[in-house]
Amino acid sequence: MSSPIRTDLEPLIFERSHPGGGVPKAYFPPSDVPNRPVDSLIPPSLLAEKPPLLPDVGELDAVRHFTRLSQMNFSVDTNFYPLGSCTMKYNPKTCDQLSILPGFRWTHPYQPDETVQGILEVLHTTEQALCQVSGMDAISLHPAAGAHGELTALLVIKAYHASRGEKRTKVLIPDSAHGTNPASCTIAGEDTVQLVSNRDGQVDLDDLKSKLGPDVACLMITNPNTLGVFEKNIIKVAEMLHAAGALLYMDGANLNALLGKTRPGDFGVDVLHFNLHKTFAVPHGGGGPGAGPIGVRAHLEPFLPVPRVVKEGRKYRLQREAERPQTIGQLRSFYGSTGALIRAYVYIRSLGPQGLKDIAENAVLNANYLLSRLKGAYDLGYQGRALHEFVLSADRQKAKGARALDIAKRLLELGYYAPTIYFPLIVHEAIMIEPTETESKQTLDEFADAMLKIARDIEEDASRVTAAPRNMPVTRLDEVGAARNPVLRWTPPAAGQAGS
Ligand SMILES: Cc1ncc(COP(=O)(O)O)c(C=O)c1O
């Protein structure tokens, strides 16, 4: 059987390695700067015994190698990327350009506050804009990603209950939630309790009622949820939690569907995290370095992490731990990923209130247009109106011999990044599609045509789909073998043999 990885396309950089990098000797003149060996500054017991095993290649070979690898990759800049939930959305180049203006790029986080007034103003204004968008009272830009925002928020909630002398250890999480929600709870030292969704894919109020008690710290709800459905009972949910002394936490990753339409602070949310990469055009950090700010109502503000940007008269400065006795402390370096935050600032300021509203409308329009084109050929994951994303089920196709995984692989072959599959867990053979607001009707139609063709092919002969992808650098992988027998390290070949 042929290898699933087409190594003929590009060898590993270690396989290109030659002593001296294959670069002509004396290409650059020798350095005339006195070489003060770093070794003399490090205690001998800490010095490595051998140099690291790095590939020895010239600059040109290294640049070509990585450029060729990047050309094998799918990205928002090369292909339509309808990935639901952990969306990759178009990041306007103007946001990138402005975020690297010299005044931003050439500053250092340890500079005194008086010398970075411009950056502090941008951060402070971004906080105010996020307050307006979300209806929250205070924002911390500190967390490095959505999941990090969840953890930060849970620690804030924990500190709030502790300050009232209450020990609440349970966090309620709907079964449709993103996997980072229970993971963040575990890291925060809380116990998770699962809530079942009703037939409309929403929180079941009876189930919520039966699980609420004096030991519940909060409910973590995603709204719109991961089925792309707005939780229509959200005000009732907030009231039930507050009556039980618990808080309502909102995973705001899907806020792009609500911008300018409704605000979590107005429907009872106490704390939420933003995924700036899904909502405000920041490249997806995937755990960092991205940005997952949190917003809180006033009663939780004292617990926010440090530092905090404050404005005094016309000056800005960073407040530290000594001035904030109830803070949960510092969870990462400095005050967030400034480069990512500036991109969000530029995006928000360029679009303004009407532009942000248009985003929500276009995101919902695009998702519903695609849904209406595909719903005859695929089963729906749930009944109800979609907002910014929707979930199909490939159950019908599975009965004919092709699974959601096969459909995703075939899409790669046709030039599309695959949608999220097998999530949310409550939909069989889930295919979760989020086109985002910036795609043209032409792109949506081309993608819909591809999905419809795949459905027709499966009806006629599923093997047309199950062998995909045939034209990718990596074809069908032995997934069980990869999990049970992972080869994670390249070993140099013995003389006369190929490396592995
Ligand atoms: C609903 C939801 N919650 C949380 C996250 C986690 O965000 P991040 O990948 O930035 O950690 C995501 C991913 O985008 C998400 O879709």
Side-chain angles (χ1 to χ4, degrees):
M1 197 178 122
S2 64
S3 161
I5 302 176
R6 292 193 50 200
T7 43
D8 58 314
L9 290 179
E10 185 61 28
L12 296 176
I13 196 158
F14 286 95
E15 289 163 344
R16 297 200 73 87
S17 176
H18 297 288
V23 179
K25 285 262 177 297
Y27 184 71
F28 282 114
S31 168
D32 57 1
V33 178
N35 184 5
R36 181 162 173 233
V38 170
D39 294 13
S40 65
L41 305 173
I42 299 174
S45 62
L46 298 181
L47 285 175
E49 282 162 18
K50 286 191 215 150
L53 273 178
L54 294 175
D56 209 348
V57 290
E59 178 176 332
L60 202 49
D61 279 341
V63 169
R64 286 181 184 154
H65 172 74
F66 287 109
T67 305
R68 280 195 291 263
L69 288 184
S70 76
Q71 287 167 340
M72 293 179 200
N73 211 358
F74 276 88
S75 74
V76 227
D77 285 346
T78 54
N79 301 75
F80 180 46
Y81 214 108
L83 185 75
S85 197
C86 289
T87 312
M88 291 286 185
K89 86 178 207 178
Y90 170 63
N91 306 136
K93 301 296 169 251
T94 180
C95 299
D96 290 343
Q97 279 160 7
L98 293 178
S99 75
I100 53 167
L101 284 175
F104 293 131
R105 197 163 22 146
W106 300 118
T107 49
H108 192 277
Y110 282 135
Q111 275 181 230
D113 292 352
E114 317 80 81
T115 66
V116 285
Q117 286 293 300
I119 290 189
L120 294 181
E121 181 175 349
V122 165
L123 298 177
H124 193 259
T125 314
T126 306
E127 287 185 359
Q128 286 180 320
L130 293 179
C131 279
Q132 280 181 27
V133 162
S134 63
M136 307 310 280
D137 298 318
I139 302 286
S140 168
L141 302 174
H142 194 70
H148 198 213
E150 293 168 22
L151 174 65
T152 310
L154 287 165
L155 294 177
V156 164
I157 292 171
K158 211 170 166 176
Y160 166 78
H161 289 308
S163 76
R164 294 157 55 93
E166 294 188 14
K167 188 160 165 45
R168 292 172 173 256
T169 52
K170 287 188 180 156
V171 174
L172 308 180
I173 304 186
D175 52 9
S176 58
H178 193 269
T180 49
N181 290 187
S184 302
C185 276
T186 305
I187 297 176
E190 307 278 30
D191 299 324
T192 58
V193 178
Q194 200 175 67
L195 294 184
V196 292
S197 303
N198 63 21
R199 281 188 49 225
D200 298 333
Q202 313 214 3
V203 166
D204 185 300
L205 295 185
D206 291 332
D207 194 40
L208 172 61
K209 194 170 165 197
S210 71
K211 289 172 181 161
L212 263 178
D215 51 355
V216 171
C218 68
L219 163 65
M220 284 182 103
I221 199 167
T222 307
N223 198 19
N225 64 27
T226 61
L227 295 163
V229 176
F230 189 84
E231 293 279 350
K232 62 177 187 228
N233 293 319
I234 190 74
I235 293 182
K236 178 81 187 142
V237 167
E239 284 167 3
M240 287 168 72
L241 282 151
H242 293 154
L247 299 181
L248 180 58
Y249 168 87
M250 185 174 124
D251 177 327
N254 296 337
L255 203 68
N256 54 335
L258 307 184
L259 288 179
K261 296 286 172 185
T262 182
R263 305 190 312 164
D266 298 340
F267 52 71
V269 169
D270 298 287
V271 47
L272 93 157
H273 88 258
F274 300 81
N275 272 25
L276 292 193
H277 53 76
K278 287 190 73 175
T279 313
F280 298 110
V282 169
H284 195 159
I294 63 167
V296 294
R297 298 309 308 268
H299 52 290
L300 297 173
E301 196 276 340
F303 308 97
L304 286 176
V306 284
R308 304 264 309 127
V309 185
V310 289
K311 187 174 182 192
E312 285 164 356
R314 298 183 59 196
K315 294 253 184 272
Y316 298 89
R317 70 177 183 90
L318 288 172
Q319 254 184 354
R320 313 273 172 187
E321 203 146 1
E323 293 179 79
R324 298 188 56 85
Q326 289 186 292
T327 176
I328 57 166
Q330 181 149 7
L331 274 83
R332 54 152 299 161
S333 52
F334 313 117
Y335 186 49
S337 304
T338 307
L341 296 166
I342 296 169
R343 284 174 172 84
Y345 168 84
V346 174
Y347 193 66
I348 294 171
R349 293 302 294 263
S350 320
L351 290 171
Q354 185 56 45
L356 294 179
K357 204 165 163 184
D358 291 345
I359 288 204
E361 290 181 359
N362 286 340
V364 174
L365 180 64
N366 281 358
N368 281 279
Y369 178 67
L370 263 188
L371 175 59
S372 72
R373 287 216 49 200
L374 299 180
K375 68 182 178 195
Y378 294 87
D379 292 341
L380 297 184
Y382 58 94
Q383 302 304 323
R385 289 213 30 213
L387 284 181
H388 63 299
E389 65 192 354
F390 58 95
V391 183
L392 301 173
S393 162
D395 259 352
R396 210 190 305 175
Q397 285 71 25
K398 190 176 175 191
K400 293 278 181 182
R403 298 179 300 143
L405 177 81
D406 301 313
I407 295 168
K409 300 276 188 199
R410 175 75 178 130
L411 279 169
L412 296 179
E413 207 168 55
L414 296 175
Y416 296 99
Y417 190 83
T420 298
I421 51 173
Y422 300 109
F423 176 76
L425 303 176
I426 53 176
V427 175
H428 289 164
E429 294 295 321
I431 302 180
M432 184 188 213
I433 298 176
E434 176 167 5
T436 78
E437 62 277 5
T438 46
E439 296 298 333
S440 66
K441 180 169 178 297
Q442 188 187 354
T443 301
L444 300 183
D445 278 330
E446 286 163 2
F447 176 74
D449 291 343
M451 286 289 287
L452 295 175
K453 176 174 164 36
I454 292 173
R456 276 196 311 275
D457 282 351
I458 295 172
E459 283 290 319
E460 289 164 17
D461 174 7
S463 70
R464 286 187 208 158
V465 170
T466 51
R470 286 154 285 215
N471 59 352
M472 292 281 108
V474 177
T475 57
R476 271 293 162 128
L477 293 171
D478 171 2
E479 289 177 19
V480 176
R484 298 233 168 110
N485 235 340
V487 180
L488 302 175
R489 173 178 286 206
W490 181 78
T491 42
Q497 285 174 6
S500 65

